[in-house]
Amino acid sequence: MHTFSFGELALIFGIVIVLFGGKRIASVGKALGEGISNFKKGLNGSSTDDKQISPPQNSQHANQVVDVEHKEVPKV
């Protein structure tokens, strides 16, 4: 199997920079790093979505019942 020398890798890297530009490569690297970080957080289970939501402290709304199943039928 052929291994790439330093000169060949530099040439490939130079062509990639010319084709895509430095800003685009930096944004792709940043997005890739954030994706890896989020993946690791998901594996560890340290997501903020898993935290339990506390009930409201205002006692005025604590005993209110909301009917979410009631739907009005439009009159034709």
Side-chain angles (χ1 to χ4, degrees), residues 9-35:
L9 290 175
L11 180 65
I12 292 171
F13 186 67
I15 291 172
V16 168
I17 288 178
V18 169
L19 288 177
F20 296 109
K23 276 189 172 182
R24 183 139 192 164
I25 292 173
S27 65
V28 168
K30 181 180 177 184
L32 184 63
E34 288 175 354

Side-chain angles (χ1 to χ4, degrees), residues 6 15 18 20-21 31-32 34 40 56 65-66 68-69 72:
F6 178 74
I15 291 172
V18 169
F20 296 109
L32 184 63
E34 288 175 354
K40 286 182 179 180
V65 177
V66 179
V68 293
E69 295 294 322
E72 289 186 31

Side-chain angles (χ1 to χ4, degrees), residues 1-2 6-7 12-14 20 26 29 35 39 47 49-51 55 60-61 64-65 67 71-72 74:
M1 182 168 175
H2 178 70
F6 178 74
I12 292 171
F13 186 67
F20 296 109
F39 180 74
S47 177
D49 296 338
D50 295 339
K51 293 182 180 177
Q60 189 178 34
H61 298 289
Q64 244 181 0
V65 177
D67 184 14
K71 296 178 184 175
E72 289 186 31

